[in-house]
Amino acid sequence: MDKSFSETYLNFDQLDPETFRQAIIDTLFMTITSMILVFIIGLLLGLALYTLGRNKTNGKSLLYGIVSIIGNIFRSTPFMILMVLIIPFTKLLVGTMLGAKAAIPALVLSAAPFYARLVEIAFREVDSGVLEAADSMGASYLEIIYKVLIPESLPALISGITVTTITMIGFTAMAGAIGAGGLGALAWQEGYQRGNYTVTLLATVIILIIVFIVQGVGDFLAKKTDKR
């Protein structure tokens, strides 16, 4: 006899609150830790791309092309494949290929180039007149970066990190399917493989709630920092 909708998707007697609590912690750990590293690496890499892209000399153009190609390789490689490819590097770095920590290298390598490209685009959209004015007033390169370039592009940088974080949450769910833990692992192992669709549904709802919170906070901060 076929189960009803409520018996299939709303059978909360099968849920283990402690398991869900740990899965949420693992997902947040992977997301927050990875995004801190992605923000730092992506900002520096994006700044390097922006600086090299503005310089038209042959050497700088060649270096820009090399950095772009390397970034595109990591950015374009499907996350699941990338995570498997770098297993030896992951084991060397964190000592294991299982658990939330093991997913972080692949998460960072896949998301940092993506955010770096968004940073580069955000910097390019800054009014060149503002940069020229700062340069004519004797501002150093570092002063132009942290007093002009970053403040002027801050709304776009925040929007970029918001989009990247949401993408990262999706990656953590995929990482869970190959041993990283988190809500993705719970939905796959306890939900799909054991036919407990209530677990899969609830894990999906929690992931969506996290995404909505991230999007809401990102939109709020982008509007607050927009001077237009």
Side-chain angles (χ1 to χ4, degrees):
M1 182 177 178
D2 293 336
K3 293 182 180 180
S4 65
F5 177 85
S6 60
E7 290 175 323
T8 302
Y9 291 102
L10 303 176
N11 187 2
F12 296 108
D13 292 337
Q14 302 181 54
L15 302 182
D16 180 4
E18 179 58 29
T19 302
F20 263 96
R21 186 187 71 84
Q22 186 59 50
I24 294 171
I25 291 173
D26 287 345
T27 295
L28 293 177
F29 169 77
M30 285 187 284
T31 303
I32 294 171
T33 304
S34 299
M35 284 314 303
I36 291 172
L37 296 172
V38 166
F39 177 75
I40 296 170
I41 296 171
L43 189 63
L44 294 174
L45 186 57
L47 179 61
L49 288 169
Y50 169 77
T51 303
L52 292 171
R54 292 188 69 193
N55 196 311
K56 302 301 182 181
T57 61
N58 290 335
K60 295 293 179 63
S61 296
L62 177 61
L63 188 56
Y64 176 85
I66 294 172
V67 174
S68 294
I69 290 171
I70 294 173
N72 288 338
I73 289 172
F74 284 108
R75 188 163 58 97
S76 304
T77 303
F79 176 74
M80 294 281 283
I81 295 175
L82 178 64
M83 192 167 181
V84 172
L85 279 175
I86 67 167
I87 282 176
F89 171 73
T90 300
K91 291 180 69 175
L92 180 66
L93 194 63
V94 300
T96 180
M97 57 177 285
L98 300 174
K101 289 193 301 182
I104 291 174
L107 290 169
V108 173
L109 283 175
S110 61
F114 175 75
Y115 183 58
R117 189 64 71 178
L118 296 179
V119 170
E120 181 192 7
I121 293 171
F123 286 166
R124 284 184 175 179
E125 292 177 349
V126 175
D127 188 354
S128 58
V130 177
L131 297 174
E132 291 171 2
D135 187 50
S136 65
M137 294 175 64
S140 67
Y141 176 71
L142 289 177
E143 287 176 330
I144 291 175
I145 291 173
Y146 72 82
K147 288 186 177 180
V148 180
L149 199 59
I150 291 178
E152 289 292 325
S153 60
L154 195 55
L157 294 177
I158 293 173
S159 296
I161 202 67
T162 301
V163 171
T164 308
T165 303
I166 291 172
T167 303
M168 183 74 75
I169 294 170
F171 285 168
T172 64
M174 288 188 284
I178 52 176
L183 290 166
L186 190 65
W188 175 256
Q189 296 168 3
E190 298 294 328
Y192 175 74
Q193 291 187 330
R194 298 186 180 182
N196 190 345
Y197 293 102
T198 303
V199 170
T200 302
L201 177 62
L202 186 56
T204 303
V205 169
I206 294 172
I207 290 173
L208 290 174
I209 290 172
I210 295 172
V211 167
F212 290 151
I213 292 172
V214 169
Q215 186 68 65
V217 172
D219 289 345
F220 172 77
L221 292 176
K223 289 179 181 178
K224 291 289 287 184
T225 55
D226 194 344
K227 300 175 184 177
R228 293 173 293 178

